[in-house]
């Protein structure tokens, strides 16, 4: 467990995120049942571990994982939401692309009015 030494709250948050990513779409149908507009903004920059750390092409692996994750997350979009790839953002999209995130939240709120 790479988070073994981290605070309980951080490990709990990671467990929820991992559970959501691994859960089949049918298990996430809660979004549709409540008619909640849901958008997903995904980081466009892919970070790979240093090549010397692992015995395979870490860049190719990171890119393949990113494509897979992006494809799966498209299934989370619903009820007027959008899927966006934030090309200039890294892992912390809300920090790297604040204006984009704020604009999408505003758009989703407008859908509910």
């Amino acid at each position: 467990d790479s988070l073994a030494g981290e605070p309980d709250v951080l490990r709990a948050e990671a467990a929820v995120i991992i559970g959501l990513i691994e859960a089949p779409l049918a298990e996430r149908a809660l979004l549709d049942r409540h008619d909640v507009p849901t958008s997903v903004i995904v980081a466009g920059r892919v970070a790979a571990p240093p090549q010397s750390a692992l015995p395979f092409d870490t860049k190719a692996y990171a890119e393949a994982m990113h494509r897979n994750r992006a494809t799966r997350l498209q299934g989370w979009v619903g009820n007027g939401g959008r899927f966006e790839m934030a090309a200039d953002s890294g892992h912390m999209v809300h920090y790297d692309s604040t204006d984009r995130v704020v604009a999408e939240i505003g758009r989703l709120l407008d859908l509910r009015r």
Side-chain angles (χ1 to χ4, degrees):
D1 183 348
S2 64
L3 299 176
E6 299 299 331
D8 289 343
V9 68
L10 184 60
R11 289 194 339 258
E13 180 181 355
V16 168
I17 292 168
I18 290 168
L20 285 169
I21 290 171
E22 292 177 347
L25 186 56
E27 293 177 18
R28 293 191 304 265
L30 178 65
L31 297 174
D32 290 329
R33 284 198 306 262
H34 291 286
D35 194 33
V36 175
T38 308
S39 290
V40 176
I41 303 174
V42 177
R45 288 193 320 239
V46 178
Q51 182 57 56
S52 61
L54 297 166
F56 54 84
D57 184 344
T58 58
K59 183 177 182 209
Y61 173 79
E63 289 171 353
M65 290 298 293
H66 185 263
R67 282 190 305 274
N68 179 276
R69 186 177 305 115
T71 298
R72 292 186 71 183
L73 289 172
Q74 287 179 26
W76 292 23
V77 174
N79 302 309
R82 294 183 201 175
F83 178 85
E84 295 183 47
M85 184 74 68
D88 294 331
S89 294
H91 177 73
M92 299 190 57
V93 175
H94 61 287
Y95 181 80
D96 295 336
S97 296
T98 305
D99 291 343
R100 173 180 273 177
V101 172
V102 169
E104 185 57 18
I105 291 169
R107 192 187 74 76
L108 292 173
L109 289 171
D110 286 344
L111 289 174
R112 301 303 290 176
R113 292 186 185 136

